[in-house]
Amino acid sequence: MDSIKETNFKFPASTGFYKGKVRDVYYFKDKLAVVATDRISAFDVVLPRAIPYKGKVLNQIAAHFLQATSAIVPNWLELTPHPSVSIGKKCEPFAVEMVVRGYLAGHAWREYKAGKRVVCGEALPDGLKENDRLPYPIITPTTKAYKGHDEDISEQEIINQGIVSAEDYALLKKYTFALFEKGTQMAKERGLILVDTKYEFGKLDNKIYLIDEIHTPDSSRYFYAEGYEQRQAKEEAQRQLSKEFVREWLIANGFQGKEGQSVPEMTDEKVASITDRYIELYEHITGKKFEKSNYENRLAEIEKAIQNIFSNF
Ligand SMILES: Nc1ncnc2c1ncn2[C@@H]1O[C@H](COP(=O)(O)OP(=O)(O)O)[C@@H](O)[C@H]1O
Ligand SMILES: [Mg+2]
């Protein structure tokens, strides 16, 4: 089964193109059409093989949560004319990613384990174990690097360096906590814990919008809620529902995105198992059944769906 590795559409009305790690973005003046491809990235590297259906899964999860949170924070999304496509407002992105954490996992845990007790300006108490719940959610922002790895940064540095104004940052913070609370509550209804996630924001006509994708397995970590406490008490690994399983497999095969390391070869079986996991994630997180249909002509369908919207643009 083939996957969508890239698109090469030529839309007469298009005003620009950006190839992200995962998504292909077509600009149309003050709008953009984002095609979620099946590319997968880990440790900021795009892996050689794409994962069938992954784009469709991601786009639909993001749309589900953007719709569910639109009353809390205005967001960019206006239309999903195809399960792999999102269309909406083109905003001027802030050069930070608002990472928010309710638990000590992933990068923050690695920093903590190395002895740090202040992460991105946030003080952490002694005596925490991996995956422990934090006393309260914290924001650990990163700079949005256009090449290479995103770097940790603190609120103070963001404001002092003029990356975001103090006034705008106050709103980004408020929105981030409100979204995380809603995401946490929606996860809970599905028997999940939203461990951490990241949001991107942008500006249009002097108004701040939530942009990009939210609460997807690529941008978030989820645990199964059932048995969480028992597993923590026994210091067992948590049951994850996120891209973490791909990262773990890569690490186990000697790849952490560092220079000189090469990506282990993914067999067809490995690729198929990742597809299955993404579909499981979709169904668990949204509570909806995933439709695999119409795979054969989807590139042409995606192109047509976008062209139809912008034919008179
Ligand atoms: N509404 C929007 N306005 C402007 N840029 C956006 C909007 N929504 C998403 N983006 C940008 O589109 C890109 C999506 O593709 P992605 O594969 O995530 O790229 P990247 O490798 O830059 O993370 C991101 O760079 C994201 O910041
Ligand atoms: Mg991205």
Side-chain angles (χ1 to χ4, degrees):
M1 190 195 307
D2 60 341
S3 51
I4 301 180
K5 226 171 168 178
E6 59 182 352
T7 65
N8 280 301
F9 304 140
K10 297 277 173 287
F11 301 114
S14 179
T15 50
F17 175 75
Y18 170 76
K19 185 173 176 181
K21 288 186 290 289
V22 172
R23 285 162 291 166
D24 286 355
V25 184
Y26 293 87
Y27 298 97
F28 296 86
K29 292 185 224 160
D30 56 347
K31 305 279 179 194
L32 42 77
V34 180
V35 181
T37 72
D38 294 328
R39 294 192 291 272
I40 184 166
S41 76
F43 308 111
D44 290 329
V45 175
V46 179
L47 305 185
R49 293 198 61 180
I51 309 299
Y53 296 112
K54 173 180 177 279
K56 204 174 149 182
V57 162
L58 237 57
N59 191 58
Q60 292 189 103
I61 293 176
H64 173 80
F65 286 109
L66 285 169
Q67 277 150 21
T69 58
S70 62
I72 304 174
V73 177
N75 71 58
W76 74 285
L77 183 65
E78 294 174 337
L79 281 174
T80 45
H82 180 281
S84 299
V85 180
S86 287
I87 290 176
K89 294 179 183 64
K90 177 173 176 277
C91 305
E92 191 53 53
F94 288 101
V96 290
E97 299 200 346
M98 297 295 278
V99 181
V100 54
R101 305 171 180 278
Y103 294 75
L104 188 61
H107 171 70
W109 161 248
R110 287 190 287 275
E111 294 283 288
Y112 188 91
K113 196 170 70 170
K116 282 204 188 161
R117 289 296 176 270
V118 178
V119 178
C120 301
E122 291 287 342
L124 294 167
D126 279 322
L128 293 176
K129 299 193 304 291
E130 182 173 17
N131 299 334
D132 270 351
R133 190 180 172 159
L134 297 171
Y136 47 84
I138 58 169
I139 296 175
T140 56
T142 61
T143 56
K144 199 169 150 42
Y146 281 93
K147 272 235 142 56
H149 296 283
D150 298 343
E151 305 272 352
D152 279 357
I153 192 167
S154 69
E155 168 174 358
Q156 215 51 61
E157 289 165 323
I158 290 171
I159 293 168
N160 289 350
Q161 292 173 26
I163 300 171
V164 181
S165 73
E167 193 192 351
D168 284 347
Y169 195 82
L171 199 52
L172 298 194
K173 239 166 92 171
K174 187 180 130 192
Y175 282 165
T176 296
F177 283 127
L179 289 163
F180 190 62
E181 195 180 319
K182 178 73 177 174
T184 297
Q185 178 205 327
M186 288 179 78
K188 196 171 174 195
E189 285 161 15
R190 306 285 319 145
L192 300 172
I193 292 171
L194 180 58
V195 175
D196 51 43
T197 191
K198 68 104 178 131
Y199 304 110
E200 294 182 31
F201 296 92
K203 243 184 180 178
L204 176 67
D205 297 333
N206 226 20
K207 183 174 164 184
I208 293 177
Y209 291 90
L210 172 62
I211 64 170
D212 210 60
E213 61 174 13
I214 66 162
H215 300 165
T216 68
D218 276 15
S219 68
S220 319
R221 249 186 213 95
Y222 289 95
F223 293 156
Y224 285 96
E226 201 191 324
Y228 166 81
E229 299 291 348
Q230 291 89 315
R231 286 190 293 275
Q232 278 310 92
K234 288 196 240 161
E235 300 197 19
E236 283 176 9
Q238 285 300 327
R239 290 182 62 211
Q240 301 253 2
L241 205 62
S242 55
K243 207 171 67 172
E244 198 63 21
F245 68 93
V246 179
R247 290 189 205 104
E248 280 167 6
W249 177 79
L250 290 168
I251 292 171
N253 288 278
F255 183 76
Q256 290 183 64
K258 302 216 172 95
E259 221 158 295
Q261 297 178 332
S262 55
V263 181
E265 200 190 323
M266 278 192 196
T267 61
D268 290 349
E269 289 71 33
K270 187 71 208 167
V271 169
S273 81
I274 299 176
T275 288
D276 290 346
R277 283 297 286 275
Y278 267 92
I279 291 174
E280 182 196 336
L281 292 174
Y282 171 87
E283 295 189 339
H284 206 104
I285 292 170
T286 66
K288 297 175 193 164
K289 178 107 190 72
F290 184 76
E291 301 291 339
K292 269 192 172 178
S293 58
N294 288 334
Y295 209 61
E296 296 312 315
N297 301 316
R298 69 209 182 287
L299 259 182
E301 284 172 14
I302 289 171
E303 184 172 20
K304 208 169 115 209
I306 299 173
Q307 178 55 36
N308 280 345
I309 306 280
F310 293 106
S311 57
N312 295 317
F313 214 66

